[in-house]
Amino acid sequence: MALDSKVPKGPLKDKWTDYKNHIDLVNPANKRNIDVIVVGTGLAGGSASATLAELGYNVKAFAYQDSPRRAHSIAAQGGINAAKNYQGDGDSFYRLFYDTVKGGDYRSREANVYRLAQVSANIIDQCVAQGVPFARDYGGLLDNRSFGGVLVSRTFYAKGQTGQQLLLGAYSAMNRQIARGKIEMFNRHEMLDVVKVGGKARGIIARNLVTGEIERHSAHAVVIASGGYGNVYFLSTNAMGSNATAAWKIHKKGAYFANPCYTQIHPTCIPRSGDYQSKLTLMSESLRNDGRIWVPKSMDDVMAIREGRKKPTDLSEDERDYYLERRYPAFGNLVPRDVASRAAKERCDAGYGVNATGEAVYLDFKSAISRYGKEQAKLQHITNPSEAKVYELGQAIVEAKYGNLFQMYEKIVDENPYKTPMMIYPATHYTMGGVWVDYNLMTTVDGLYCIGEANFSDHGANRLGASALMQGLADGYFVLPYTIGDYLSNDIRTGKISTETPEFTAAENEVKERIDFFINNKGEHSVDYYHKKLGKIMWEKCGMARNEQGLKEAMAEIKALREDFWKNVTVPGDANEMNPELEKAGRVADFLELGELFAKDALNRNESCGGHFREESVELDGLQKGEAKRNDEEYAYVSAWEYKGEPADAVLHKEELEFNDIELKQRSYK
Amino acid sequence: MNLTLKIWRQKNASDKGKMVDYKISDISEHMSFLEMMDVLNEQIINLGDEPVAFDHDCREGICGMCSMYINGEAHGPDRGVTTCQLHMRSFKDGDTITIEPFRAAAFPVIKDLVVDRSSFERIQQSGGYISVNTSGNTQDANAIPISKEAADKAMDAATCIGCGACVATCKNSSAMLFVGAKVSQYALLPQGQVEATDRVLNMVAQMDAEGFGNCTNTGACEVECPKGISLENIARMNTEFLKASLKG
Ligand SMILES: Cc1cc2nc3c(=O)[nH]c(=O)nc-3n(C[C@H](O)[C@H](O)[C@H](O)COP(=O)(O)OP(=O)(O)OC[C@H]3O[C@@H](n4cnc5c(N)ncnc54)[C@H](O)[C@@H]3O)c2cc1C
Ligand code: SF4
Ligand code: FES
């Protein structure tokens, strides 16, 4: 099947408006006869559910947690972008669009990104109207901060808990619709397959995670909003339950999977400390606004610090290598995530890591504290303040900005980050790849949509900070509600979709067989045993940097691991009760397939771009020496994979990317 | 560290349940409490038994899923943290640790340490929202100036993660801190004032209907709340409720 992105004709800035003016609408009275299933109630699914219900459709929403409010979106710390230009620093739709396309290393679809920039401003209005308590300045207006990869202040935030507040906003909008009976909420339910009737998505099979019952649910359209697949690495910043199952199951039923190898490694996470570790914790990137990143210049100091003979605070300014400021003078500590992550890896690989494992660099707030302290002293008319006073005043400002992050760090590491620099190291964070969708956010299966982190759409090969929340809410509040209407306008006479059809029976049987297999297979290894092994292969061979040989090995190793899993996995307990091990088994089984496709995609893409760094593809000389080398001639496409059984047999389809409004350039942050 | 764990095991809602003892060794003080539970579960699985079911997801103190009652305290001995943020350095070699589910009539046990907190959902559905259309035709966000102080206070109230520790720790199983936080967030903001009366009346009525007890001002909730939600919010809810009752 040829890929049709369905991007409307006409000038970039008019596409979305024209599109909205010409789509078919569904009469409000008819919406009452149309059902929509939404899988996932994070920012994307939550905002979509609320809005579709508001419009009049009957929504059935599903989440594996006990409440929509606990979806992984809750954890987002830093903020959400919007081109409001409240700060008057030159922001505009075009600039947000430009930054996003450039930040994504020119591997995203122009029309989608422009639309995202256009609707971004509405998101803030919407959320404020819902009572989201964004940070305010003393004049009562909204405050902004800046994030990696851009030179304007366009990020709106609510302390370090922006995701929480935005999700609670969407959740409250959902609650209003649940109370009105327009959303039926299925908490503690997991979608285990999609059901297609006559080529169209017409329902799902779900497991009630409390009773174990397998349920059939039908609808006129199905929306997947199940989040990202970063947990394929086992260790990541994702919530423990985050998984790829919904996206992978629809892939197996015909939805193409795009750019699986684009994974974002986030530069500012708390380093790993031992083998028992279950997850990695992110320190928001907003910290890079005020923190300076460094490692010692001399190897002697590195050793002295590792052996505890010296403390980081013993080193003077000129004994420190502020390597980001050195290499990228224009952006300094605010370079995009892929650049910052690789630079940290480069220093640590060269031996300059500052903790016991050699995998940590410093993030230091000393100069920020003293800068803010001096400013405060002036504001408060304190003449000749003592150093201690300056420190105290400065610390209060830093605490107001990032207090909860500092507290979190101290809890985990048991060190006071106001007194001694934080240690950070990159970790798997966000997946730019996902289910392929067209301009309408529809997958390659009719009536099957995919939104939020689960789709591949707007971030190209790298995601700039504060853009995922923006995309999730844009999709859910403002894009999908229009595009799905255009599709559903053909369904006003269809009537209820029956669940008593052979298609539902077949899908249900498949799901049941798999569960029975797990319960009855008396193997010798736990599910986590396999998940950890998979994670290790992924991190070592498909991590921050990849090469041909490693990727080929990864494909073979993952396949072998998968075969062993299906022979030797053990799942205690029963199928007809709450059984967390059974839930995990299904998810890891899917990760074991996705991981191989990931490696295959990385192998195919013989260029470096964004979150995909091929060691064979680096700039050899000139100003950009040592930086990632993109190859637009051969690789300016989205790779969309069609399922053909074994992941190794997946067939590649290319969506060629066209750049009419932005010139393809070497990405430089120097 | 070597530890003895006494854990509440209960197969399902209708099972009677009992405490079961487990021995566990080689626990590092850097582990989080939930990582210690992972190690225990791996050990149980390798012996061919059923692991202990417990709720958790984000493991960074924000989703509000993890809910354990440890040595008689919600989320354990450390202040201002959830169970996933509790570290084993809070315990000593040779300790015996008692682990139970959050207990309250309005939080029935589902399995082992997992409880049903859907009563919280129903309270929020009864009015914990602002009735604004979600299709994007609202006024410009800066058209509603909000003083920094009000925004910060609303934010403090909105920080509640809905974990239920306040209920579990209260001798009356009162949900006043949780509901107070929700009511306060909206009471402090100009948006949604038109429905303030119904909001507080409905939420309080639903809270009572769910079988939560009454607040007798003991303040245990504030002490155990991982997000430092203050009693001030209960006072504000009471004021709002009184105002609303007089109007209503
Ligand atoms: C620690 C952290 C900090 C971050 N900070 C920022 C930030 O500052 N700014 C920013 O823009 N982005 C940030 N991000 C990224 C951003 O939070 C996510 O990309 C975004 O929230 C994803 O939203 P979503 O709605 O697509 O998915 P999620 O919020 O992950 O929601 C997934 C939903 O799907 C459900 N689900 C999944 N599978 C199934 C299934 N099979 N059946 C039923 N339900 C299912 C889940 O229950 C859940 O409701 C951060 C991410 C992390 C991890
Ligand atoms: S008030 Fe505190 S203890 Fe109660 S639910 Fe909210 S965060 Fe948890
Ligand atoms: S697991 Fe999310 S708060 Fe503990």
Side-chain angles (χ1 to χ4, degrees), chain B residues 34 56-66 82-84 161:
Chain B
L34 298 188
H56 65 101
D57 203 16
C58 73
R59 295 206 174 187
E60 47 187 80
I62 191 78
C63 73
M65 278 284 265
C66 59
T82 52
T83 306
C84 57
I161 56 173

Side-chain angles (χ1 to χ4, degrees), chain A residues 210-226:
Chain A
V210 176
T211 63
E213 205 176 325
I214 303 299
E215 302 172 358
R216 304 176 182 190
H217 295 273
S218 68
H220 297 86
V222 175
V223 181
I224 303 297
S226 58

Side-chain angles (χ1 to χ4, degrees), chain A residues 332-346:
Chain A
N333 293 297
L334 285 175
V335 291
R337 294 174 177 179
D338 58 330
V339 178
S341 296
R342 272 197 299 279
K345 181 177 192 300
E346 189 277 329

Side-chain angles (χ1 to χ4, degrees), chain A residues 1-10 12 14-16 18-20 22-23 109-112 115 436-449 456 479 483-484 486-487 490 654-658:
Chain A
M1 189 174 80
L3 282 176
D4 180 0
S5 67
K6 307 232 174 73
V7 171
K9 299 261 172 310
L12 189 64
D14 300 330
K15 283 184 199 288
W16 180 232
D18 280 355
Y19 173 94
K20 286 193 290 182
H22 292 99
I23 49 171
R109 194 188 285 147
E110 265 194 346
N112 284 53
R115 172 175 68 188
W436 186 89
V437 290
D438 62 18
Y439 189 75
N440 300 323
L441 307 180
M442 196 178 344
T443 68
T444 42
V445 175
D446 264 0
L448 183 56
Y449 291 79
F456 89 105
V479 180
T483 60
I484 205 172
D486 192 37
Y487 172 81
N490 292 318
K654 298 177 182 175
E655 180 195 341
E656 297 294 340
L657 293 168
E658 281 175 36

Side-chain angles (χ1 to χ4, degrees), chain A residues 514-532:
Chain A
R514 191 159 146 130
I515 290 175
D516 288 346
F517 169 85
F518 285 133
I519 296 295
N520 296 323
N521 191 54
K522 297 290 169 228
E524 46 182 328
H525 297 301
S526 70
V527 176
D528 274 354
Y529 166 90
Y530 289 99
H531 197 177
K532 284 182 184 170

Side-chain angles (χ1 to χ4, degrees), chain A residues 39-46 62-65 68 70-81 147 162-163 167 189-192 225-228 237-239 241-243 245-246 279 282 284 337 429-430 451-454 463-470 472, chain B residues 60:
Chain A
V39 177
T41 54
L43 282 175
F62 294 79
Y64 67 75
Q65 293 96 344
R70 305 203 204 280
H72 172 58
S73 294
I74 198 94
Q77 300 169 348
I80 176 168
N81 285 336
F147 249 61
T162 314
L167 184 61
H189 273 68
E190 182 162 26
M191 175 239 193
L192 293 177
S226 58
T237 62
N238 286 10
S242 295
N243 68 90
T245 289
K279 79 160 280 169
L282 177 83
S284 168
R337 294 174 177 179
H429 177 59
Y430 180 91
I451 61 177
E453 189 173 340
R463 174 176 71 82
L464 290 183
S467 303
L469 301 181
M470 170 173 69
Chain B
E60 47 187 80

